[in-house]
Amino acid sequence: MKKALAVTTTAIVVAGAATYALPRTAVADELLTSLTQDTADDTAALTQASAISWGSCPAPPAGVQVDPRQSCGTLKVPLDYRRPRGKQVTIAVSRIPATDQAKKRGVLVVNPGGPGSEGLNWPSVVAQQTSKPVLASYDLIGFDPRGVGQSDPVTCGLTADELLPPTPYPGPDGSIAENVTEARSVARRCAAESGDVMPYITTANTARDMDRIRQSLGQRKISYLGSSYGTYLGAVYATLFARHADRFVLDSAVDPSRVWHDQFATRSEGVADRFPDFAKYAADHPDETGFGSTPPAVKAAYLKLAASLDTRPVAVPGTPTTLNGDLLRYLTSALLGQPDEAFPVLAQTWRAAAGLAAGNASEEDIAWLNQLLPSASASAGVSPGVPADNAIAAAYAVACDDISWPRDVKTYARAVAVDRKAHPLTAGGPATVWPCAFWPSKPIEPVVRITGRGERNIMILQNERDPNTPLETGKGMHKALGNRSALVTVNAGGHLVYGNQGPATCATDAANRFLLSGKLPHKNVHCS
């Protein structure tokens, strides 16, 4: 099943990770393990796995179709697991029951990625992607992670202009001065709007929330299907709660050794790997795209258009949006994250941008941009009643609270300079500074170290030309998990594997077999 653009663009904001880690010591690891185990024991004593009361679901984001079988409920969890009897926060949970309750083998917790993406309605998406035997065998369980959607959402008070594109790009000359100013401002606003809860919006705490969900469902173990950032969440859960992890599928993985800035920076290489697929398509359809008849000509034409829009941004009639080079780069990256079937959509976007830049945009061009831009904003996947900037605010919270970022601005200036030279298609955007460099609080605990300790029960699915989580980061996850995992690579482009057609069918089938049998392939698998 093809993912909607709103889902894909949200994943682009969040699918990443960085090597700037807190110092790790044996004492720190022991403390982290102790905290997790003590919390689990205390949780059981406090709640005795109190059941969720299931009922109707809140209104979904615009355009999201909710399966009529899906029901929702809420669960209270500690804001700070070090103080389990302290302030509680709400976690919204959803369920689609297994179609054969007599033969049900367990629950499959699903997560769409992020961080910052709403997951409450993800069972309705997965129900369309997976097989009938999987639907018969598992209850599909979704949830909005803490700080997201219906789970006590955080906000930074960001404006609509700051949500499209949602992440910063350097100036046309490579300067990050404006990025630094904006990052300082956003960090201050996040603290002012949600500073009392922001430090606790972390991947480790979300994994602990998942274990509370497990307890509330009365399950000894959970299985899991997580995409993009959700792969890191799944790996953290499988590390902290190894004895409660059953069959885990990680789709389009981040590299745990790179959380978070370095993972985000890998998108430059990812776009460079993916771009030739579209350049070939455009060259093979010159009348449709109008950007040249060879892949090098297509690339040159794109770089020229982006540079032109850097110099002379153009207002998009009928919208409050100005189309500049960075917005074109963002839209291109977002659409490169789709399967190849979306190439005509990207071609149409380029034609519309070129027409607007040349001053001869057609009514069709303008109508297309009016349709596309709202769906590409980070607010597109946000539910009614939730702050419009919630997806980005929550992404900042996780990225900045999981791990400390470098504070020296020169670090980012150097990274951008190197990145722009090596990867002109993305113009240094993936490597630039985020508010995390000026975050007012430090991480409340060491970053979770993912290792190969534990049962061999994790499958990783990875496209070879993924612009958001490149092949190297999928391999990085496999390396971190060691013998616990098997890697299934797919000779395809785009972000996300599970449920897509073409070569990805092979990987989806492998994942479904694993979910049903529990047996990983003895060797890594390549789907050609």
Side-chain angles (χ1 to χ4, degrees), residues 221-224 238 241-250 453-460 481 483-486 514-515 518-520:
K221 289 187 174 186
I222 59 172
S223 293
Y224 180 80
F241 300 99
R243 66 188 183 189
H244 298 305
D246 193 4
R247 301 168 185 181
F248 273 46
V249 177
L250 309 183
R453 293 193 296 270
E455 185 180 351
R456 190 170 188 270
N457 60 352
I458 301 174
M459 176 177 284
I460 302 167
L481 290 169
N483 194 51
R484 289 196 74 181
S485 65
F514 167 58
L515 289 172
K519 297 179 181 179
L520 284 178

Side-chain angles (χ1 to χ4, degrees), residues 492-505:
H495 184 53
L496 305 184
V497 177
Y498 191 87
N500 281 322
Q501 303 302 310
T505 303

Side-chain angles (χ1 to χ4, degrees), residues 19 27 33-34 56 79 95 180 191 218 254 258 373 457 488 506:
T19 49
V27 173
T33 302
S34 175
S56 60
L79 174 65
R95 178 182 66 176
V180 170
V254 305
R258 297 173 184 254
L373 293 175
N457 60 352
V488 179
C506 156

Side-chain angles (χ1 to χ4, degrees), residues 272-348:
D273 289 342
R274 174 61 165 154
F275 191 88
D277 292 340
F278 176 71
K280 183 179 185 305
Y281 168 86
D284 289 344
H285 302 79
D287 295 336
E288 177 185 342
T289 59
F291 276 79
S293 57
T294 66
V298 171
K299 181 178 180 180
Y302 169 69
L303 293 173
K304 183 179 179 180
L305 175 59
S308 172
L309 289 169
D310 282 336
T311 305
R312 295 183 298 277
V314 185
V316 180
T319 79
T321 304
T322 297
L323 179 63
N324 58 23
D326 292 337
L327 182 51
L328 177 65
R329 294 179 183 101
Y330 173 69
L331 295 173
T332 298
S333 296
L335 289 166
L336 287 174
Q338 297 287 340
D340 291 3
E341 290 81 2
F343 283 169
V345 176
L346 180 52
Q348 185 175 7

Side-chain angles (χ1 to χ4, degrees), residues 179-262:
N179 297 160
V180 170
T181 299
E182 179 71 8
R184 290 185 189 275
S185 171
V186 171
R188 286 194 299 267
R189 284 179 282 164
C190 291
E193 296 286 343
S194 304
D196 57 334
V197 298
M198 281 285 195
Y200 308 99
I201 309 298
T202 67
T203 302
N205 275 340
T206 300
R208 295 175 182 120
D209 296 342
M210 282 175 54
D211 204 59
R212 279 289 184 100
I213 293 171
R214 175 192 64 79
Q215 294 177 50
S216 74
L217 298 173
Q219 299 292 313
R220 187 174 66 86
K221 289 187 174 186
I222 59 172
S223 293
Y224 180 80
L225 171 60
S227 305
S228 197
Y229 161 77
T231 64
Y232 182 60
L233 173 60
V236 169
Y237 183 91
T239 297
L240 297 182
F241 300 99
R243 66 188 183 189
H244 298 305
D246 193 4
R247 301 168 185 181
F248 273 46
V249 177
L250 309 183
D251 179 0
S252 306
V254 305
D255 184 342
S257 72
R258 297 173 184 254
V259 296
W260 277 116
H261 176 267
D262 277 8

